[in-house]
Structure formats: structure tokens, C-alpha cells
């Protein structure tokens, strides 16, 4: 009984610390990092701090719908549900992101050596339009996808 408990504890610790065997090669991570760096630079050269976009996070954690996110001076100033027009509370707005914060989400995924990371960047401005993350192939329903569409500067 104690040995079984000890083995389960070790497996749990390894999973939490990222000791799983990722099939992802170092060259894939280097390409992901290069793409991120290039698009951060492209986004920075656009010098955009006031903008609006439609945001959606798709996961197994909650019901999701499109959210209109407004960013002023690099901070989310307001956000509301597209279908109903109901504004998100300040606490709910914490679950929305600026474009710079989405770049951080991507960087964190690269640093965490996630199992699968797919990102599509806007070719003219560099912001991420599609981010799909699967943290661990051995864990069900840990995937999340972020969608950015209808982007425009204010």
C-alpha cells in the first residue's frame, strides 16, 4: 500500500513538473520561438496601443462565446459579449487578453515545452489570430484555443 502510494506520488510530481516525454523536437521549439520573436517585432513596429478585436477562448472549462475586447493604451478597457451586448465585469475581463498578453501566453507555452502548439499570425501586423495549445497528450481536456478576429485599430 505504501509503495503504491509512493509511486502515485512520484508520477504526480513528474507530471506537474513536466517530466513527461514530449515528442516535440528542439528544432520545432526553435522554429516556434523564431516565429514568435519575428511577429512580436512586426507587432511592435506597427506601434498599436488602441484597438478592438473579437476574442474567443475555446476549452473544456466553460461555455464560450465571442467577446468584443477594446484596448486603450495597451490595457483592456472594456469587453462585452457579442451576441447579447452584456459587458463583462472587471473580474471577467481578467480572462481576456491584450495582444501583448497573448504573446506572453505563446511564450509561456514554448517555455513549458507543451506537447503541441499551433499558432497562426497575421501576416501584416504580426498579432496571433489562432493559438492552440495541448499541454500534455496524456491529460484529457487540457487543450485550449484562443481566437482573434475582426481586429481593427481605434
Amino acid at each position: 500500500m505504501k509503495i503504491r502510494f509512493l509511486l502515485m506520488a512520484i508520477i504526480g510530481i513528474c507530471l506537474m513538473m513536466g517530466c513527461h516525454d514530449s515528442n516535440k523536437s528542439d528544432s520545432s521549439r526553435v522554429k516556434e520561438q523564431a516565429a514568435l520573436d519575428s511577429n512580436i517585432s512586426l507587432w511592435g513596429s506597427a506601434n498599436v496601443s488602441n484597438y478592438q478585436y473579437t476574442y474567443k477562448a475555446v476549452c473544456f472549462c466553460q461555455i464560450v462565446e465571442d467577446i468584443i475586447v477594446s484596448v486603450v493604451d495597451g490595457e483592456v478597457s472594456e469587453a462585452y459579449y457579442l451576441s447579447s451586448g452584456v459587458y463583462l465585469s472587471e473580474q471577467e475581463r481578467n480572462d481576456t487578453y491584450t495582444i501583448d498578453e497573448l504573446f506572453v501566453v505563446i511564450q509561456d507555452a514554448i517555455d513549458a515545452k507543451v506537447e503541441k502548439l499551433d499558432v497562426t499570425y497575421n501576416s501584416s501586423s504580426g498579432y496571433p489570430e489562432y493559438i492552440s495549445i495541448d499541454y500534455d497528450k496524456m491529460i484529457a481536456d487540457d487543450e485550449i484555443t484562443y481566437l482573434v478576429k475582426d481586429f481593427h485599430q481605434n
Side-chain angles (χ1 to χ4, degrees):
M1 183 73 163
K2 288 183 180 179
I3 292 176
R4 184 175 181 187
F5 176 78
L6 181 61
L7 286 175
M8 294 302 285
I10 291 171
I11 290 170
I13 290 169
C14 281
L15 285 173
M16 288 189 303
M17 295 180 68
C19 297
H20 65 281
D21 180 26
S22 176
N23 293 326
K24 205 164 200 186
S25 69
D26 286 338
S27 65
S28 293
R29 288 190 186 90
V30 169
K31 288 178 186 175
E32 289 168 348
Q33 187 65 57
L36 174 61
D37 293 343
S38 173
N39 284 286
I40 287 174
S41 178
L42 185 58
W43 172 251
S45 68
N47 198 27
V48 178
S49 61
N50 300 320
Y51 54 91
Q52 187 176 66
Y53 71 94
T54 304
Y55 167 81
K56 188 174 201 173
V58 181
C59 61
F60 292 97
C61 49
Q62 60 191 1
I63 297 173
V64 294
E65 49 182 302
D66 287 351
I67 298 171
I68 304 298
V69 176
S70 296
V71 176
V72 175
D73 295 329
E75 299 289 330
V76 174
S77 61
E78 64 181 24
Y80 61 90
Y81 293 106
L82 178 62
S83 62
S84 66
V86 172
Y87 282 81
L88 278 67
S89 68
E90 187 174 338
Q91 182 179 359
E92 291 171 317
R93 279 198 319 265
N94 290 333
D95 293 331
T96 63
Y97 297 94
T98 65
I99 297 301
D100 289 329
E101 291 169 335
L102 287 172
F103 284 130
V104 172
V105 167
I106 297 166
Q107 184 65 65
D108 289 348
I110 292 169
D111 293 346
K113 299 180 180 180
V114 299
E115 187 64 38
K116 186 174 181 185
L117 174 63
D118 291 321
V119 182
T120 302
Y121 297 96
N122 180 274
S123 59
S124 61
S125 298
Y127 64 85
E129 297 177 317
Y130 174 88
I131 307 166
S132 178
I133 304 170
D134 183 356
Y135 291 91
D136 190 323
K137 70 180 178 180
M138 301 302 290
I139 298 175
D141 302 339
D142 70 326
E143 303 87 0
I144 188 163
T145 300
Y146 302 94
L147 304 170
V148 172
K149 62 183 181 180
D150 304 324
F151 178 91
H152 62 276
Q153 287 182 284
N154 292 341

